[in-house]
Amino acid sequence: MKAHWVATALCLLVLAPASSFAQTGGDDRAKPIKPGSMRVTTRAPEPDKWNAQRSANGSQRIFKCKPLACADPQTVSFIFSKSPTKTPNPEALEKFAKIDLPKSIRAAGAAREVLSDGTEKIETLVSRTATLKGYPSVINESKFSRGQASSFIQTAIIFAGPLMIRIQSSSPSRELAQKALDQFVEVMQIEEGPPAPPRPQPGTQSL
């Protein structure tokens, strides 16, 4: 189980049940949130600078900086998946941030290095726990090198109740990648609906 959600946090898309969340671009906020559900609203901090793409099922959203609008190419992505637990244990989260996630990144980097005959490398620069939007989170910064070129990947993983929200900002500029991540997290909104009604116990009858 742990290997599954570590891989999900790193590089895979796992679809969450449609009833567990709704992801909007900012145009559905007038609608009430269903009991037991969550609504995550994502938008660009400077809309004129970004082109947005959204997957058909709403589980992924990608923002790309328009040509000439940023000093270097920039991409910010949101991936929504089911969280392994609603309330991560602080010690387990610390281990995930400091040991499990960097270990997975090293393994992925070693595989890419072999497949590319040593021309591609991935290394973790920073990996730590944090609190974002009021939820337990993990911050990771990695450097991807290909020959003489390199890019920086800033990742925030937010454990928001039933959801795991992975936000990734990448750019050849380390400063721009960090700035974009901070800005997108700042304008993102996470809303929880009312509690879901309790499920009837087996053998009971509701009147």
Side-chain angles (χ1 to χ4, degrees):
M1 177 65 182
K2 182 175 72 174
H4 168 74
W5 69 270
V6 169
T8 301
L10 178 61
C11 60
L12 298 180
L13 173 61
V14 178
L15 302 183
S19 60
S20 66
F21 75 95
Q23 193 273 138
T24 78
D27 51 355
D28 296 334
R29 296 195 60 219
K31 298 179 181 179
I33 307 174
K34 296 179 180 179
S37 298
M38 300 185 72
R39 177 163 59 206
V40 181
T41 304
T42 60
R43 62 178 185 271
E46 299 175 80
D48 292 340
K49 289 177 55 176
W50 300 85
N51 289 320
Q53 294 179 326
R54 187 171 170 181
S55 63
N57 59 14
S59 61
Q60 185 173 18
R61 200 161 202 235
I62 300 175
F63 295 84
K64 291 186 177 182
C65 192
K66 296 178 180 179
L68 303 181
C70 297
D72 279 300
Q74 286 184 265
T75 300
V76 177
S77 65
F78 291 79
I79 295 177
F80 302 86
S81 60
K82 187 176 181 179
S83 177
T85 177
K86 292 184 178 181
T87 54
N89 177 275
E91 293 181 3
L93 192 65
E94 186 80 13
K95 182 176 180 291
F96 170 65
K98 299 291 182 63
I99 299 175
D100 296 334
L101 186 56
K103 183 178 179 181
S104 296
I105 292 173
R106 285 196 301 271
R112 294 193 70 123
E113 192 170 353
V114 170
L115 292 174
S116 65
D117 293 327
T119 61
E120 295 184 1
K121 297 181 180 181
I122 305 173
E123 60 178 317
T124 293
L125 304 178
V126 177
S127 196
R128 60 181 177 84
T129 59
T131 299
L132 299 174
K133 314 302 286 190
Y135 295 97
S137 307
V138 168
I139 298 290
N140 180 276
E141 179 184 8
S142 296
K143 181 180 180 181
F144 174 73
S145 302
R146 178 182 294 165
Q148 298 299 316
S150 60
S151 61
F152 295 89
I153 304 169
Q154 304 279 351
T155 303
I157 303 171
I158 303 175
F159 296 89
L163 287 183
M164 184 168 71
I165 306 170
R166 177 176 174 266
I167 309 151
Q168 180 174 293
S169 173
S170 60
S171 175
S173 168
R174 185 177 185 178
E175 180 181 355
L176 289 180
Q178 180 62 67
K179 181 179 178 180
L181 178 66
D182 292 342
Q183 290 178 332
F184 273 84
V185 170
E186 178 67 25
V187 299
M188 178 180 67
Q189 294 186 329
I190 303 175
E191 301 169 276
E192 298 186 26
R199 294 181 179 180
Q201 295 297 319
T204 63
Q205 182 178 2
S206 57
L207 300 178

